Structure formats: C-alpha cells, structure tokens
Amino acid sequence: MLRNHLIFWGGILCLWICPLQAQNIQKPEIDLDSFIQELFPVQDEDLNYEDIYETLFLLYSNPLNLNRCTRDELQSLFILSEKQLNSFFEYREKNGNFLSIYELQAVPDLDLITINKILPFVSIEDLGAKSQPLLQRILAEKNNYLLLRYSQTLEEKKGFTEEATPSQKYLGSPGKLYARFRISHVRDFSLGFTLEKDDGEQYIWDPDTRRYGMDYVSYHAFFQNKGRFKAIALGDYQIQFGQGLLLAGGFGLGKGSESVQAVRRSNLGIRPFTSVLESGFFRGGAVTYNVGPIDITGFYSRIRRDGTLSEATDTTEAEFQAFIETLQSTGLHRTENEINAKGRFKEQTVGGNLLFRNGRKNLEIGAIFIHTNYNLPFVRGSQSAKDSIVDQFEFSGKTNYNIGLNFNYNWQNFSFFGEGARSKSGGIGFLGGFVSSLSDQVEMSMLYRSYDRDFHTFFGSAFGEGTRNINESGIYWGIKITPIVRKLQIAAYYDWFKFPWLRFRIDAPSDGYEFLSRVSYSFSRKIKAYAQFRQEVKDRNINSEDSQTAFREIFTGTKRNFLINFDYQAEKIFRVQTRVQFSTFDFNSVRTKGFALVQDFGFDFGKLRLDFRYSLFDTDDFDNRQYVYEKDVLWSFSIPAYNGRGIRSYALLRYQITRKIDVWLRYARFDYQNQDTVSSGGEETQGNTRSEIRAQVRFEF
C-alpha cells in the first residue's frame, strides 16, 4: 500500500546556511528543538503548534536584514529585551548600516549568549539583485524548493475495516501525502503552493464535494517593497496588527517559559500563508500602501468554511431553512459526514487598517475595521434548553463587524501597548500592558485583558487563558532575572483569570489562576539544565450521566507540573538530553498522577544525522497526559500525548545526498501495557502497539 502512494515529484535543499567564522561567534544552523522548548507555551494541551513552528522556519529561511528591519520585526523574535532593542536601533542610527552580522558584538548591551540566539534569524541582504526586473529575479532566485512527504500508521485502523460503522468508515486510502513548492527572496517576493491528503481521505476530482485531487490546496503570490506598495498578497494570506485581538495571523506564543516578551505582539502586517492548517487564514487579495507616516492596508477574502448544517421550520412560511449549527476546523474529510461538512458555507470578509508611525519611530497608532458576511445564518444552542443558556451570548446571524484601535509606545526601556475593539453585538474586548527592562538583570511585563461574553472576533487570538477572546478577564505579571553571572536565569509568571459566564466543561461563572517558575543554568556552552514548576487552579464540572440536560456540580481542580531537563552537546558530533516530568491533579478529593522519563541521543556526522528517543511513561488518567516535543522531518511538528502506561520510542535519519537533495526517514512507536486496543472510533487499532513511518525528500533547483 505504501508504494502506491509514495510520490517523488522533485525537491529542494532549503534552510541551509554555510558556516561562517568570526572572532568570537559563528552563525549556526539553528537548533530549532532547543529554541522551541525555550519559547513554546507549556506543553500540556493537545494543540496544533504547526503555525508557530512554521513561522520560525519562515524567519530562518528568510532572515531579517539588520539594516532594514523594523522594531516590530525584531521584537517579534521574542529574544531581545527592551534595553537591547533600544541599543540596537541607537547603534544603527549612529553608525549607519551594519557591514557584517558579527558587528552585533559592537552593540552595547548585546552579550554573546543573546547574539548566538538571534544569529540564525538575521543577515546582511545582498541588495544588488533588486536592480534586476522582477521576472528576471524570480527566474534567477536560488532560494526555491519542492518538498514531498509520505507518512502512514502501520497498524490497520478500524475506519479502513469492514467492522467500521457508516460514521466511522474512511472512504480514502491509508497514508498521508504532502507537497510544497516555494520560491522566495527576502523582502522582495514569495510564490508557492501547498498540497495535502490526510490519512483516510480520497485522492479524487469531484467538484460536487469541492475536492480537486489533493483534499487541501493552498497557494500564494506575495510581493514586498514595490515603490509605495509595501506588501501585495494574492491567494492565501494572513494578517497581524495590534495585539491580535482582531487580526492575529502569525507568531503568538501565549503563556510559557518566555515570561516577559511573549505577552506583546507586533505589527507585522500582511504575510503569506503556507501552512496545512485548514482554517484561520484569508483567501483573496490584500495590499499595504505607504503615504508618508501612514500605512494603509486593505484586504478582501472569499472562502468556503467547513461546518454542520441543520434545517428549521419557518412557522410563517411553513418551509425549511438551512442554518449553520457548528463550525469544524480539523480539516479532515475521511467519512461521509466529514465530506458533507466540507466547504458547506461561504465566508466573505472585507477590511482595512490604518497604521501611523511618528517621526521618532517610538509611537504607533492603528485603526482596524473588519466586516464578515456568511451566506447562511448561525443558530446557536438549538440542541437543548441547556445549550440555549450556555450559548446565548455566542455569535448568531449572518453578519458581524469589528472596529478597533491599538497603540505601541516606547519610552526609555519601557514599551507600552494596548488594543480595544467592539463587535456588532456591542461587546467590547480590550487588553493593555507594558514590557520593560528595569535593569541589566531584570525584565518585567504586566498585562490586563477584558473580553465581554458577547464580544465576537473571528480572526483574533490575543493573549488569554481561553482559546478564544470571549467571556474572560484577567491580570498577568511576568518577570525574568539574569544575575550578573549570566549562566543563571530565573523566569516566572502569575496569571489570574475570571470567566463571567458559563463555558466548556464549566456550568457556572468561575475563576482561577496559573503560576510558573523556571530556573535555567548553563554550566558551559556544552552543558545546560533547567527545572520548571507550574500550578494551575481552575473550576471544572464533575462528570454526570445527565450532563447533556442538567447543569453539573462544580469543583476546583489543582494541577501541578514538574519538569527537569539536562542537555549535553559534545563537539559537533554527539548530543544527549535527559528529561523527567511528572504531574498531579487534585479534583473532588481525589489525587491522580502521571510521569514521563525521556532519554534522547543525537549524532551529527556532517551529511548524516541520527536522532533516537526512548521514553517511559505512566499516567493515571486523561488529566495527567504528558506532552513532550519530538524531533521530526523538516516542516513537520510533533507533540504527542503520552497517555496510559508504556514506552515511546523513535528514530530519525536525515541524509544530505547532494548539496541540493536531502532525505528524512522517521519511525516512531508506542508500546502500551495492559490494553488490547489503541485509540477509539475510526482511529482504533487492535493490539497494544501504534507505530508510524514518515519519509521526506527535499530538492533545490
């Protein structure tokens, strides 16, 4: 079955940087795994981090030009403090363009540890290519690639068997196919497409169900700095302005070990969308035009979204009228029901943004307007009387609009920011705060947010405890301390939050708090260690058989996570990482536990790289699942849930066949104890093992 679907279409060698030598620093190929674990939110939720992961690789393959980058772009890396940002731009203004990336050593307040972190994401751009016509630059561009991937679960899933029920039956073939092509030049242009067929989906041409070969097709054409046009996007794109309350496409971290910089977002504007996430992006056109101190952005999008339709009887006209009951964002179209939900309704969005920057570049003020229209109305809470109460403040109808204002103001070593917006319903959303460098050793941030229970924003993802900016208020405080002995770093945050109305798994208004502390120590450039503790206190329903019709009793749950990590990097060849993490969950006078012991080994022989993992885990229940980041093939991201009792292992091989061809092979496996099946529904497999293979090839032209 595997050979019938493994398609070799050509490839690319991308994200490759020749090692450069300097007196004290060397531009490295990024250790993305370490960078991810430093910046990503606490890994205890089953979330898709692919968009953040891909943004990192986009920044790496298209590094910022030190002589052109804006403060927004540089601070979006979440690496430099306010004092370091100020020093960088003061140095550039005083001394002119950087002649080399290694001139960063001359910038006051930039130490070698920080410089080594930022080096993979910056460069000195070759400006000579810009003198050629655009078409000629595209044809001559060397930064282009075609990447192909195949992956499959080796055990047979129930959805592919005769025992599957109609709602579980997968109509397509096993195996996941993925292809991506892209050609780009920094701050100039980007052209590309992305194709994907998930496991169980059909490779079929069927316009009636809106399937055209691969189940998912994405494409973009993106141009920058064409006269007064700062950005032009056609096809799929995303937009980030303000603090992400209304437009949040791009890199937003949320709460994690980066306790200070992560609370603020930057005005990155229009960006091409290249991910396989099948929601959260626009399809159409967008443009940003500069008039003196003002950037004017306008955009239009028309796209089909997945959802479940229902019918209701109109008592006045005695006929059935269709309405949207639920949205679906999984992007999976394997069964008849999932295929029927594909692209069932149309979403049309038009909007704009005005961004003013003063002459000193220390003040930004923005205004946003968005209008969204659906071809069918949303009707919430139609299943039961309880649903009607829970969902009574959710969006309903066919149209919504948002208007909002945002600002950023830099004063000495303080950066103040905020955004407020209103939706058609009259609901208000607001957040504001500051990030500061109190001294060379101390950084601090504070943020307040308030999102009304009837505040509706479809494209926002601002800072918060919930996955959506609705029905929440809270105060966040973060601090990071780097003593004079810079080998030691202490980071912590405290976040108090409140939910004024009912929400998922909480049948009453509630509140709670979250606390995290992390201590990191670098014994040397080769040996690093950190320890982390996190506690979350939050209300939750108690399980009940009549939960669909009756409101359930509420108890307070307390979850504690503990993590210890140790890294050893031998000189260019061998790396070992040991990680111990465990958790407890106290709820309704019962304590449950979970732990994972993870051992990684890595070998780098130049063209050949090998990575191995062997881990043990034991969890009492769903609430104590252990999430651990895993290395994967390029542009594939993995944080699986270690749940139950068993062993997790994988082996990853990367081999550089030529300077223009790379291949990856990965085999991963779960071995469970005391269970005869794995997963449930159509994903269920017989036996106590679950294994997957993944192969990828990349070529450069």
Side-chain angles (χ1 to χ4, degrees):
M1 185 68 70
L2 172 61
R3 63 186 180 186
N4 294 333
H5 301 286
L6 188 56
I7 304 172
F8 290 95
W9 287 359
I12 179 178
L13 176 63
C14 66
L15 304 179
W16 177 83
I17 296 181
C18 298
L20 303 173
Q21 298 295 328
Q23 291 181 352
N24 297 314
I25 55 177
Q26 177 179 350
K27 182 164 184 177
E29 182 168 329
I30 185 174
D31 184 355
L32 192 59
D33 305 289
S34 297
F35 195 77
I36 285 170
Q37 293 184 50
E38 286 293 322
L39 288 183
F40 269 7
V42 180
Q43 299 160 9
D44 68 337
E45 298 291 344
D46 193 10
L47 301 175
N48 194 330
Y49 294 92
E50 182 177 348
D51 196 32
I52 300 176
Y53 179 77
E54 182 161 330
T55 302
L56 283 174
F57 258 121
L58 181 63
L59 289 169
Y60 179 56
S61 58
N62 296 273
L64 298 175
N65 179 3
L66 290 175
N67 296 322
R68 290 189 172 190
C69 64
T70 66
R71 190 183 185 98
D72 282 324
E73 291 173 330
L74 202 55
Q75 74 183 21
S76 71
L77 297 175
F78 302 105
I79 295 175
L80 301 184
S81 68
E82 288 307 301
K83 189 172 185 179
Q84 290 170 333
L85 286 167
N86 289 339
S87 294
F88 173 86
F89 287 103
E90 288 172 3
Y91 178 89
R92 192 176 72 177
E93 183 178 356
K94 179 180 179 181
N95 297 281
N97 287 346
F98 286 81
L99 302 178
S100 165
I101 56 174
Y102 306 109
E103 193 179 342
L104 288 171
Q105 295 174 97
V107 178
D109 302 313
L110 288 189
D111 56 272
L112 288 179
I113 294 176
T114 303
I115 292 174
N116 281 315
K117 285 183 179 180
I118 202 173
L119 277 182
F121 302 104
V122 298
S123 69
I124 303 295
E125 183 183 0
D126 179 12
L127 303 179
K130 286 287 187 95
S131 62
Q132 300 174 346
L134 176 61
L135 180 59
Q136 189 173 345
R137 296 201 302 272
I138 293 175
L139 295 176
E141 179 57 48
K142 296 181 180 180
N143 184 22
N144 57 85
Y145 64 89
L146 179 65
L147 184 146
L148 300 160
R149 180 189 309 151
Y150 179 86
S151 57
Q152 181 177 334
T153 299
L154 298 183
E155 293 77 16
E156 186 178 36
K157 297 180 179 180
K158 185 177 181 179
F160 298 109
T161 67
E162 297 298 327
E163 290 76 23
T165 65
S167 63
Q168 298 172 338
K169 183 68 175 179
Y170 295 163
L171 302 182
S173 58
K176 183 175 182 178
L177 295 172
Y178 171 89
R180 168 190 282 179
F181 172 78
R182 187 169 188 180
I183 177 171
S184 62
H185 190 84
V186 179
R187 299 179 64 89
D188 191 3
F189 64 85
S190 175
L191 306 169
F193 63 81
T194 302
L195 310 173
E196 185 189 50
K197 181 197 87 71
D198 286 309
D199 187 21
E201 294 179 339
Q202 293 174 296
Y203 187 89
I204 187 174
W205 190 273
D206 185 7
D208 291 338
T209 56
R210 294 168 286 278
R211 291 180 294 171
Y212 307 95
M214 291 283 204
D215 181 79
Y216 173 71
V217 180
S218 177
Y219 47 88
H220 76 271
F222 183 66
F223 307 96
Q224 290 179 280
N225 303 309
K226 308 306 176 200
R228 288 189 174 273
F229 289 95
K230 297 185 65 175
I232 302 172
L234 299 173
D236 296 344
Y237 61 92
Q238 53 189 344
I239 304 177
Q240 179 170 311
F241 281 117
Q243 295 305 308
L245 190 58
L246 299 181
L247 293 171
F251 198 178
L253 286 177
K255 291 181 284 188
S257 57
E258 175 45 66
S259 57
V260 174
Q261 298 295 329
V263 302
R264 175 189 55 191
R265 303 187 74 159
S266 303
N267 285 308
L268 298 181
I270 305 168
R271 301 171 57 251
F273 183 80
T274 60
S275 174
V276 293
L277 298 177
E278 299 185 28
S279 61
F281 64 94
F282 298 108
R283 176 166 291 174
V287 61
T288 296
Y289 186 79
N290 175 256
V291 181
I294 299 176
D295 289 343
I296 305 171
T297 298
F299 61 95
Y300 173 79
S301 173
R302 181 182 176 91
I303 190 171
R304 285 186 173 272
R305 302 292 190 191
D306 291 359
T308 302
L309 302 187
S310 295
E311 291 184 336
T313 302
D314 188 309
T315 56
T316 59
E317 300 181 5
E319 62 181 21
F320 288 100
Q321 295 183 342
F323 63 88
I324 305 167
E325 186 173 34
T326 59
L327 296 175
Q328 295 185 12
S329 58
T330 64
L332 297 174
H333 308 107
R334 306 160 298 181
T335 66
E336 287 189 7
N337 290 339
E338 290 175 347
I339 293 172
N340 289 335
K342 181 178 174 65
R344 289 304 304 274
F345 62 96
K346 300 176 184 178
E347 175 190 274
Q348 186 171 240
T349 303
V350 62
N353 180 78
L354 296 177
L355 181 62
F356 167 81
R357 293 185 177 93
N358 68 346
R360 297 178 59 189
K361 305 295 184 183
N362 67 336
L363 173 65
E364 294 180 337
I365 300 176
I368 302 175
F369 172 77
I370 305 173
H371 184 277
T372 303
N373 178 73
Y374 297 98
N375 64 323
L376 295 171
F378 277 80
V379 177
R380 306 281 188 168
S382 60
Q383 296 298 314
S384 66
K386 176 184 174 182
D387 289 335
S388 298
I389 295 174
V390 173
D391 296 334
Q392 66 175 296
F393 297 105
E394 292 285 350
F395 170 75
S396 62
K398 296 177 65 174
T399 62
N400 183 51
Y401 63 78
N402 298 104
I403 54 175
L405 296 173
N406 60 81
F407 77 93
N408 287 284
Y409 178 67
N410 301 307
W411 175 73
Q412 296 185 2
N413 291 328
F414 280 77
S415 176
F416 299 92
F417 57 87
E419 182 173 10
R422 181 184 186 274
S423 60
K424 179 184 177 182
S425 62
I428 301 294
F430 171 80
L431 73 160
F434 69 85
V435 174
S436 65
S437 294
L438 300 181
S439 69
D440 291 339
Q441 287 76 43
V442 181
E443 299 175 58
M444 188 177 73
S445 64
M446 295 191 72
L447 180 143
Y448 170 78
R449 76 267 190 189
S450 176
Y451 312 132
D452 288 349
R453 56 189 179 181
D454 61 343
F455 176 63
H456 307 136
T457 171
F458 301 148
F459 314 108
S461 183
F463 189 95
E465 171 66 16
T467 56
R468 297 185 300 144
N469 301 138
I470 187 172
N471 184 36
E472 177 183 339
S473 62
I475 300 175
Y476 173 97
W477 174 74
I479 190 168
K480 186 161 55 177
I481 302 173
T482 305
I484 298 177
V485 180
R486 300 190 66 85
K487 293 183 176 182
L488 175 67
Q489 187 175 88
I490 302 169
Y493 71 74
Y494 178 86
D495 186 40
W496 175 85
F497 41 82
K498 180 180 180 180
F499 309 110
W501 190 245
L502 287 63
R503 61 196 301 266
F504 177 65
R505 299 181 72 179
I506 307 177
D507 291 347
S510 61
D511 59 12
Y513 71 86
E514 184 177 328
F515 169 78
L516 178 142
S517 62
R518 178 172 177 142
V519 179
S520 306
Y521 190 81
S522 298
F523 296 90
S524 67
R525 293 186 62 183
K526 300 178 181 179
I527 304 176
K528 300 178 182 178
Y530 63 83
Q532 180 174 293
F533 168 73
R534 172 177 174 254
Q535 177 171 294
E536 183 182 51
V537 177
K538 188 186 297 186
D539 293 338
R540 181 187 296 187
N541 297 328
I542 190 170
N543 291 330
S544 174
E545 295 181 358
D546 60 351
S547 61
Q548 297 299 317
T549 58
F551 291 99
R552 292 163 287 188
E553 190 175 0
I554 304 296
F555 286 91
T556 299
T558 301
K559 186 171 184 178
R560 299 179 179 91
N561 296 84
F562 307 84
L563 188 155
I564 300 174
N565 189 88
F566 176 84
D567 279 289
Y568 173 71
Q569 176 73 59
E571 190 64 33
K572 297 183 179 180
I573 297 177
F574 176 66
R575 176 179 178 179
V576 59
Q577 181 181 38
T578 302
R579 182 182 179 114
V580 179
Q581 61 183 59
F582 58 98
S583 64
T584 63
F585 183 63
D586 298 318
F587 185 72
N588 194 18
S589 302
V590 176
R591 168 170 289 190
T592 55
K593 302 177 182 179
F595 90 94
L597 174 61
V598 182
Q599 184 62 63
D600 291 335
F601 298 95
F603 301 89
D604 189 345
F605 301 107
K607 292 185 176 182
L608 175 65
R609 296 183 184 181
L610 299 170
D611 288 284
F612 303 93
R613 168 169 293 179
Y614 184 84
S615 57
L616 305 174
F617 60 91
D618 187 356
T619 64
D620 291 339
D621 57 9
F622 186 81
D623 292 302
N624 284 285
R625 292 170 298 170
Q626 303 295 307
Y627 289 90
V628 188
Y629 169 78
E630 295 184 350
K631 289 189 176 183
D632 211 322
V633 302
L634 182 65
W635 268 311
S636 184
F637 192 75
S638 180
I639 301 184
Y642 294 12
N643 189 30
R645 178 183 298 177
I647 299 170
R648 173 65 172 176
S649 57
Y650 71 78
L652 174 65
L653 177 150
R654 174 188 174 183
Y655 184 69
Q656 186 179 2
I657 299 177
T658 70
R659 290 187 60 186
K660 296 183 179 293
I661 303 176
D662 285 72
V663 295
W664 287 261
L665 295 172
R666 187 178 191 264
Y667 174 77
R669 177 185 178 105
F670 276 109
D671 291 274
Y672 295 97
Q673 298 181 12
N674 304 325
Q675 61 186 73
D676 299 323
T677 61
V678 179
S679 195
S680 60
E683 292 292 291
E684 180 182 297
T685 58
Q686 297 297 313
N688 67 338
T689 63
R690 186 69 168 258
S691 53
E692 181 189 54
I693 58 169
R694 184 166 293 150
Q696 180 168 289
V697 60
R698 177 185 66 170
F699 300 91
E700 183 181 46
F701 302 100

